[in-house]
Amino acid sequence: MENFADQCLDMAQSILGHNLESISEQGTISPVAGENSRHDEPGHAALAIGEYYRATNETTLGEYDLVDLTARCVTAQVFTEEEHENGLAYSALGLLSFGPAKDRNPVWERLLDPTREQLDKQLLERSDYDNHFQSFNIAKAVTRFSLGLSKKDETGRLIDRFLERIESTSSTGYFDDASGEEGKLSGAFDIYGVLSFVFIRQSLQLHSNLHLRERKLPSLRTYSEKYLKLIPDLARQDGTGFAYGRSLGAYGQMHCISLILQALRDGWVADNQRDLYTDTVRRLFMNFFATYLDQEHGYLVIRDDERDTVPYHTTRMANFDAARYLCQWARLARATKGSASPSAPVAPRKVARYVSFDKSHKKEQGLFVYQDPDSGLAVQLPLIASGEQGKGTSDYLAFPHSPGIFDWPVDKYLPIMMPELTFGDHVIVPSFYGKNCTTSMGLRNALTFKYDQPELITKDEKIVPGLGSCKVMWSFKGGVINCEFCFTVKQQVQLDRMRYILAIASPHSRYRVGTSFTLGEEGHRTNVIKDDFQAEWKELDVVTEDPEFRTYYGNMHYLQILERDHPLTMRPGMQYRLALSFEPDIAFADE
């Protein structure tokens, strides 16, 4: 693991070297050209520098005084006009990274009295959160107690509350990042679960009370291990990691690598599984390295002329987060010891399973994962709700997400591989929840995933009682996918429009691994088997030059639209089916 650790540290030094100059005298962060700053960026910078100090024990980097820069960032963060829990939590851990004792913490010594008082006040103030912000509360409590600002340690109680919320919102113990507001569909089981466990574990590692850490780790492990077992099934052969929900791209790689390395360090991975997990980290890291790092200049690229990310992620924030994670990986790799590569080659695995996230009398939600190494087909099909910032996008729709093969635009809604039915003001897509979710072996040994929707749901995730119902079936065999959507209505109603869209995109022309999956010349090889809506394929919509149509991974070129654009009277007692099959021509980007 030493070589891996050195490589991570070299990259972190390069990224910090390009971004520390953005920290002003006041501790605010200047944005890159064409972007605006976020108010929590000083916190992200402070934690990145703190992690670098933990990994190297160095207080300078080139001509930069890291203690002074951290003190500036902490000061800027605690005096921001708007409250930012995440920025405050990041800056608190950044401060704590330089040592738990106030009198021996060089950053604390640089802080002026008004900053210390304001920090103490803000660490004490906290709201109760139902989403991943609760992990930030835990970090604040860890810092407040460890620095000696309070004799009462609330960390244990906050961790217990975090885990109790998981029990109350998921029947199978996964983290729901929905805000829990009344009347809204819950069940945002996305990458923010991984982020939360990584952040809490990192906070506990900095806690001054080792006994509390040892007491809380077993209960955290119970839930964190669920994601740990999921990641090797998600990681494709080209190293693409988490590929559904919001805030993906570089973060879809980084959070997963951290969770695995933390688990290897803590001894949570059995010896007979170690090769599987080191191979998974190797593929995730190589993909991250080739896809998001400008190796010529040494910084992270999350948006450019070919790809994009969510608007609330800035390039500065992502660069500081990448530097933080790289330092963390270097530290974890050294603590883990052993080899960074598997002891024997790990053969590509066939994966076909449904992971249930929640099952209640109201709804069922989960994730269907499929990988067929012979054909190269690897998909993640989520049946989940979205968090507030992911609403009205394609990121959470229940289609087989597979970058380079079945693509979708960043932070934009299109009915990708989903029939969209418009009834007046109601725009229906059969996603977000199901009932009677089952997997079974179907005809000719095809694996079938089915779910029902007894009430239809809109693209804004509002259930429409009394309108109709839908049954959905997906089947997978080798490199072939079949799907069928069967709609019925409960009373006569006019359908104004039906749309179904396939997007064709490509990996980045420069930032990519050579084995990135992409479509070959024959494309998706789509076949419409049954269409009771009598829709027609529209003229190919070319979006190559449109900045609104980018993916996390590369550029989107075409939209294939199957549409019925005139009314249809739908009658009760009749079934309206749309069935299609795909056998994508899967190729490597550099073939």
mmCIF file of all heavy atoms in Angstrom, residues 365 372 457 493:
data_model
loop_
_atom_site.group_PDB
_atom_site.id
_atom_site.type_symbol
_atom_site.label_atom_id
_atom_site.label_comp_id
_atom_site.label_asym_id
_atom_site.label_seq_id
_atom_site.Cartn_x
_atom_site.Cartn_y
_atom_site.Cartn_z
ATOM 1 N N GLN A 365 -39.053 0.140 -2.010
ATOM 2 C CA GLN A 365 -38.000 0.800 -2.771
ATOM 3 C C GLN A 365 -36.729 -0.032 -2.695
ATOM 4 O O GLN A 365 -36.501 -0.746 -1.716
ATOM 5 C CB GLN A 365 -37.748 2.212 -2.223
ATOM 6 C CG GLN A 365 -38.886 3.172 -2.529
ATOM 7 C CD GLN A 365 -38.809 4.462 -1.742
ATOM 8 O OE1 GLN A 365 -38.472 4.461 -0.565
ATOM 9 N NE2 GLN A 365 -39.124 5.575 -2.392
ATOM 10 N N ASP A 372 -23.057 -8.398 -16.499
ATOM 11 C CA ASP A 372 -22.759 -9.584 -17.296
ATOM 12 C C ASP A 372 -21.394 -9.379 -17.951
ATOM 13 O O ASP A 372 -21.288 -8.676 -18.961
ATOM 14 C CB ASP A 372 -23.845 -9.811 -18.362
ATOM 15 C CG ASP A 372 -23.514 -11.004 -19.246
ATOM 16 O OD1 ASP A 372 -23.328 -12.111 -18.710
ATOM 17 O OD2 ASP A 372 -23.399 -10.820 -20.478
ATOM 18 N N ILE A 457 -47.808 8.015 -10.353
ATOM 19 C CA ILE A 457 -47.036 9.068 -9.687
ATOM 20 C C ILE A 457 -46.470 10.016 -10.739
ATOM 21 O O ILE A 457 -46.121 9.605 -11.845
ATOM 22 C CB ILE A 457 -45.908 8.446 -8.819
ATOM 23 C CG1 ILE A 457 -45.234 9.503 -7.947
ATOM 24 C CG2 ILE A 457 -44.859 7.718 -9.683
ATOM 25 C CD1 ILE A 457 -44.353 8.929 -6.844
ATOM 26 N N VAL A 493 -60.374 8.712 -19.451
ATOM 27 C CA VAL A 493 -59.566 9.923 -19.319
ATOM 28 C C VAL A 493 -58.830 10.160 -20.636
ATOM 29 O O VAL A 493 -58.551 9.220 -21.381
ATOM 30 C CB VAL A 493 -58.569 9.778 -18.136
ATOM 31 C CG1 VAL A 493 -57.553 8.674 -18.398
ATOM 32 C CG2 VAL A 493 -57.857 11.096 -17.830
#
